[in-house]
Structure formats: C-alpha cells, structure tokens
Amino acid sequence: PLCELVSDPAWVPSQPTRGRQVDNYNAQHKLKYETVSGERFHVTGVFQREYVLQRVIRHNLTERLTAGSLNTRGTLLATSSYDMTCKLWSTETGKRLHTLEGHTGHISECGFNAPICDKVVTASYDKTVKVWCVETGALLHTLRGHDLEIVALAGSKDGKRIVTGGMDDLAIVWDIEKGDELCTLAGHRAEVVTLDFSPDGKFVVSGSMDESVRIWEVKDGTCVHNLTGHTQEIGHVSFNCFGNMVLSGSIDSTCRLWDTATGACKVLRGHSREIVDCCFSPNGWQCASVSDDHTVRIWDVLTGGCITMITGHTAGVCHVSFNNTGTEILTGSLDMTARLWSVDTGECLQVLRGHRSVVLVSYSGDCERVMTISKDNSCRIWRREPEQNSLLHHAALAICQHPTVYQEVLDKGVPEALQSVLQRVHKRLFLTEREAVATPLPAMETPCSVDDDGGSQHSPTPGPHGAGNMSASLHLSNAV
C-alpha cells in the first residue's frame, strides 16, 4: 500500500512543521509513506491511547451538582444535587435509570459501595445517610445518629461498611448490609471533613478542622493515635495500600506522612499555598499532592523528597488521582481543564476541555473511563479510544500535515480503514479559529448531552478546543 504503519526504531526523524496541531491529535505513532515518485517520509513518536468525550450528563438545569461517582466498571454514574435527589445513569446509553428521592436537605456526598457496587450511599445536610439498591432504586436503610449536617463519607474496601463525618465533630461507622451503627468515633473538637478506611477495614483515619488527624480502631471506637503537627485545618487523609502509613494534606501548605504504628511523621514541604488534595500511588511508594499554587508534586514516600514538580495548569489545582498502574495521574483545576500527566517525566499527555468552572476528576476502576464533574452543573464521561481508532486518527493527522502527500493519497488511494477518518481530520486541522469553536473533534461516536428529563440531545461543542473508597466519589460542596 501507499501508506503503511510501521515500527522503525533505527530512524528518528524530525516532527512535521506544516499544518496546525490540535488537542487530542499529537501525532504519537509511527508512520511510513512512500510516494509514487519514490520520495519517502516518516512521522514517528510514542503511541498513546487518548480519552475522547463519550457523554455529557446534566443532573438538572437549575440546581448545582454537589457530588458524582462512577461504579468500578465505569458503566454506572451517580450524581447528586442541591435539589435533594441522587440520580443513577447508564454511561453506555446516557439514560437515567433511577431518581433517588427522600432526603430533606441537599446531598453532600454520594457513592457506590465498591467493589460490589450493588448499593448507592447518600449523605445529606438533613443529618441522615440513606442506602439504596442500585438495581431497583429502592431505599434499603435510613441511618440516623448525627446531630448536625454530614459532610464526609468513605467506604471500607470490602464494600460492606461506611464511615461518615459531620459538623457535630463526630465520625460514625455503619454496617450498610444491616443498617446498623457499629461505633461512634468521638474526640475531634471541630467538624470531621475527610475519612478513610485501612485496607483491612480494622482502622479508620479522620481529618478535622481542628487541625488534627486521628486513627481509630473500628471494633470499639478507640482512638489509637491523635496526630498533631499541622497548623491549619486538614483537607484530605488516606491510608496507603499496606495500611502502615497515612497521608494528610492541609491548608498550611504541607503534606505529612504518618507511621500508623508509632505516629512518627515526615513533613513534605514545597508548595507555597494550601494543599487541596493528595493521594498515594497504587503501590504505596509514591504520593501526589496538588495545590492552589497551580502545581502538582510527586513525592517519594520513603525519603519524603519531591521527585517531580509538574506545572501547566494556569489556576489552582483541585483534585488528583493515580491510574491503576501508577504511571499516570489525572488532575482537575480551577482553569476549567482536566489534564493527564506522565508520573515519570511530568509531561502533559492530554488536556480534557469543555467545562466552564472548577473541575474534579476520577478514573473508573479499569481506567478505561474518566469522569470529570464541575460546578457548571455538568458531568462528562470520557472513554479511551480503541487502539485501532486512535492509531488511524494519528496516521491521518500525519498525512494531512503534508499537503502534497494528502492530495496524492486522495488521488491514488488509501487503506480502506484509514479513508473514513482522513478527510474529517484534514478539515479539522485547517479550520479557521471561528469554525474551530463550533466543530467538535472527531470521535468514536457523537457525545451525547443528557438532561434532567432523561432525554438526550447532541451536545454543543465543549469550549473552544473541543475521596474515600466510595467508588471514586467526588464532591463539589467544598470546592473552591
């Protein structure tokens, strides 16, 4: 054939300079083309499957979203709102499956009981927690015990228990199978805003606005450690995969690594403004932090040293998540974008645009889908392109950046699989700026915007360029 996709590591060419590249088309592939006259050119790079927009889901058109959560497989989405409802959606079809009604205050948190994901849990300012059946949408339990609003929620790794934190300075552990309260964790002197279970489910860590981190034994509610050292309120806490370390992030611009056996502490310094979010890598040997100083930092857990400082966001960074192999991180920012980064190099691999306000991010369990949720009242589901689709799009880009070759390919022929995407990519590359605003990037399928009544409509172009173990639950209530 005239155009052939090959691997040629011995030949390292310069990148093409003609044409205009756009996001999601980074020419990351290897391509060989030989013209009729015998002239040859190559375009090469590191092949990468990218995320393309699959769905835009809007909980409703008036009340702001407060939280969102994907199930482990990424096939179901739960969203909650100030309208006091939680809605379950199919990410495959975009259809609303159930509307969960019953709370009398706005829902602050919602999430699936990963990894089982047969229940949805909602926590509300009405001081109650409700447990719902995913299959039927029926209410299974209403959990009462808090005296004030509930603002934090986390699930155990077996999906059978949850812990909630409230403005009453308490955390409560619940059995969601039976609907029973297991123990009350009392000791904080201000509201409990962040929680996590240890991997074995025997301990809970809590962070509070009283500037302290506490580790509790679940079986009797005993406080094992009261970890002090932060000088301002705690924003995030989590266990590593071994359960022997806790990571905390604070408004005081530091993260701390705590030994769960001794309470010993390493202080991670480097950010110049408050830490908004932090998390461990899947293997527990690294952690990441994001800050209002616009940067992301990757830390070595053993030494406490900063391995990589990542810059690129143009406003405060609000959320961070590792993929399941620990090789990439996903961040959301006040600059209205989500960005995918290489952990090893700090290189920005992809920018996800379209939201019009602060963006929080989450992977599905298999990392084949990404959820972004925003105060613009929309939730966007992004799906990794199948390998064949992505490679063909990159090949088409390379051809289009050589005008003479592009015309020759049209005149003389092109592999059938490539022909269907070639002209669309060419049109996209050479649009005027005004046209580009109104034209979405080519994708596997047309993204669908789903509104409150369950109907779907083609989505407008998304802009000019196109917490615990509750199954990747995100909450917007306290987002900047």
Side-chain angles (χ1 to χ4, degrees):
L2 293 177
C3 181
E4 180 185 3
L5 300 175
V6 299
S7 175
D8 190 2
W11 191 83
V12 182
S14 59
Q15 293 290 332
T17 57
R18 301 190 66 173
R20 178 167 61 87
Q21 294 192 20
V22 293
D23 289 336
N24 293 352
Y25 291 96
N26 295 320
Q28 295 180 330
H29 63 288
K30 294 180 175 70
L31 176 77
K32 180 175 74 176
Y33 179 80
E34 185 169 350
T35 66
V36 174
S37 62
E39 179 185 359
R40 298 175 63 191
F41 79 90
H42 299 69
V43 178
T44 190
V46 179
F47 174 66
Q48 173 198 329
R49 292 172 61 205
E50 295 182 325
Y51 289 97
V52 293
L53 183 61
Q54 179 185 6
R55 299 266 170 226
V56 181
I57 292 176
R58 304 180 194 281
H59 184 98
N60 61 41
L61 300 178
T62 55
E63 299 291 339
R64 198 180 72 192
L65 281 174
T66 58
S69 177
L70 284 174
N71 69 345
T72 303
R73 294 175 56 201
T75 56
L76 297 175
L77 168 70
T79 60
S80 61
S81 166
Y82 275 95
D83 67 2
M84 300 180 286
T85 70
C86 177
K87 296 180 181 181
L88 298 185
W89 310 81
S90 166
T91 60
E92 297 288 347
T93 65
K95 291 183 179 179
R96 189 178 73 241
L97 304 177
H98 302 294
T99 298
L100 311 179
E101 297 177 300
H103 283 292
T104 57
H106 87 253
I107 298 173
S108 56
E109 296 268 13
C110 69
F112 293 91
N113 62 323
I116 306 170
C117 295
D118 63 344
K119 298 178 180 65
V120 168
V121 180
T122 55
S124 171
Y125 271 40
D126 66 9
K127 311 172 194 176
T128 71
V129 178
K130 292 182 182 289
V131 183
W132 313 80
C133 175
V134 168
E135 184 177 358
T136 66
L139 176 63
L140 301 177
H141 306 292
T142 298
L143 311 179
R144 293 181 173 86
H146 283 283
D147 297 324
L148 293 173
E149 293 89 338
I150 301 170
V151 295
L153 171 67
S156 63
K157 306 307 184 270
D158 62 5
K160 297 180 180 179
R161 292 169 296 166
I162 62 168
V163 58
T164 55
M167 294 184 181
D168 54 6
D169 309 346
L170 299 177
I172 301 178
V173 182
W174 312 86
D175 181 327
I176 60 172
E177 299 290 321
K178 300 177 181 178
D180 295 336
E181 178 181 329
L182 298 180
C183 63
T184 298
L185 313 179
H188 282 295
R189 302 183 309 278
E191 67 184 84
V192 179
V193 294
T194 176
L195 296 156
D196 193 26
F197 273 94
S198 63
D200 61 9
K202 295 180 180 179
F203 299 93
V204 163
V205 61
S206 59
S208 170
M209 294 184 73
D210 66 8
E211 303 171 9
S212 72
V213 176
R214 290 177 180 252
I215 299 176
W216 312 82
E217 197 161 5
V218 171
K219 68 178 181 181
D220 56 9
T222 302
C223 181
V224 179
H225 291 294
N226 180 18
L227 306 174
T228 59
H230 283 295
T231 58
Q232 294 190 60
E233 67 187 69
I234 312 299
H236 177 85
V237 293
S238 61
F239 280 97
N240 68 352
C241 59
F242 306 109
N244 64 348
M245 298 199 78
V246 163
L247 174 66
S248 61
S250 169
I251 289 180
D252 66 10
S253 77
T254 70
C255 287
R256 291 176 181 252
L257 290 165
W258 309 88
D259 186 306
T260 59
T262 65
C265 172
K266 290 189 186 82
V267 183
L268 311 182
R269 301 184 189 277
H271 286 291
S272 59
R273 300 187 68 176
E274 68 182 85
I275 306 294
V276 185
D277 192 27
C278 54
C279 64
F280 280 107
S281 65
N283 65 15
W285 297 112
Q286 295 176 328
C287 61
S289 60
V290 296
S291 169
D292 201 35
D293 65 8
H294 306 186
T295 69
V296 183
R297 288 178 180 258
I298 310 295
W299 308 86
D300 185 294
V301 169
L302 291 180
T303 67
C306 181
I307 302 170
T308 308
M309 184 181 75
I310 297 173
T311 59
H313 280 294
T314 57
V317 190
C318 309
H319 202 257
V320 62
S321 179
F322 278 91
N323 70 347
N324 52 11
T325 62
T327 58
E328 298 173 355
I329 57 171
L330 185 65
T331 58
S333 170
L334 288 168
D335 66 11
M336 301 183 288
T337 69
R339 295 173 187 252
L340 189 69
W341 312 87
S342 166
V343 170
D344 290 336
T345 66
E347 176 190 3
C348 182
L349 304 176
Q350 189 177 359
V351 182
L352 305 180
R353 292 186 169 95
H355 286 293
R356 295 178 175 83
S357 185
V358 53
V359 178
L360 303 185
V361 296
S362 174
Y363 286 103
S364 62
D366 59 6
C367 294
E368 287 299 301
R369 286 180 175 84
V370 160
M371 174 181 69
T372 58
I373 184 172
S374 171
K375 284 187 175 180
D376 65 10
N377 207 30
S378 73
C379 182
R380 291 170 182 258
I381 306 298
W382 309 77
R383 184 171 65 183
R384 273 208 196 268
E385 280 190 307
E387 187 170 330
Q388 178 71 3
N389 276 27
S390 189
L391 187 56
L392 292 177
H393 281 167
H394 292 314
L397 170 68
I399 293 172
C400 291
Q401 290 181 322
H402 294 260
T404 57
V405 175
Y406 171 73
Q407 191 58 51
E408 184 176 298
V409 166
L410 292 184
D411 293 341
K412 300 296 183 181
V414 68
E416 185 176 351
L418 182 58
Q419 189 171 8
S420 62
V421 296
L422 184 58
Q423 289 184 323
R424 286 186 298 158
V425 173
H426 183 269
K427 181 179 179 181
R428 175 61 185 167
L429 281 174
F430 297 98
L431 289 177
T432 64
E433 285 299 324
R434 176 171 299 195
E435 290 171 317
V437 170
T439 306
L441 288 171
M444 297 173 295
E445 59 184 69
T446 304
C448 202
S449 176
V450 184
D451 57 25
D452 179 55
D453 63 7
S456 62
Q457 56 192 21
H458 291 305
S459 171
T461 303
H465 302 281
N469 193 51
M470 293 305 297
S471 189
S473 177
L474 303 179
H475 60 96
L476 284 161
S477 301
N478 299 318
V480 177

